[in-house]
Amino acid sequence: MHRQHAADRLDAAEAFRLTLTLATPWTLRIELTDTRGERMPEPGRRGDEPPGESGYGLLLVEELATRWGVRVGPPPSKTVWAELDLACGTTRPRHPRGGRTEG
């Protein structure tokens, strides 16, 4: 079975920007901005749901990120962002389901 990834589904009319920054010396911030502001991401599948053809990207984000969220605009864009704590053995509490927050 062939699975498509988000980057595989982009056509010539769509554009995206990937930004990686160190928000702090121990926090990596990843931002993916695209021109599909009308399509908001849906959280990945839950453990009791059958496997599907999509939704695995956010499933990974939810599992690996300390915090993540979506920032809308300027039209027609949106930015999905995630922050990962880089310190080994960090004791910072994680929000349930990957830490989705605004920002």
Side-chain angles (χ1 to χ4, degrees), residues 6 11 13 21 29 42 44-45 47-48 50 60 65 72 76 90 95:
D11 63 32
T21 56
R29 184 172 177 101
E42 297 177 19
R45 69 181 192 86
D48 58 345
L60 288 171
V72 178
T90 182
H95 186 277

Side-chain angles (χ1 to χ4, degrees), residues 6-70:
D8 295 336
R9 291 189 290 257
L10 294 174
D11 63 32
E14 296 176 299
F16 71 94
R17 178 180 63 232
L18 176 66
T19 306
L20 305 173
T21 56
L22 283 175
T24 71
W26 302 106
T27 304
L28 175 64
R29 184 172 177 101
I30 303 164
E31 295 184 350
L32 181 65
T33 303
D34 67 28
T35 58
R36 301 292 305 263
E38 77 282 0
R39 293 190 61 203
M40 298 306 288
E42 297 177 19
R45 69 181 192 86
R46 306 289 186 234
D48 58 345
E49 293 177 3
E53 288 295 315
S54 64
Y56 290 94
L58 277 182
L59 181 64
L60 288 171
V61 169
E62 289 175 339
E63 292 300 318
L64 297 174
T66 308
R67 293 164 296 286
W68 73 275
V70 180

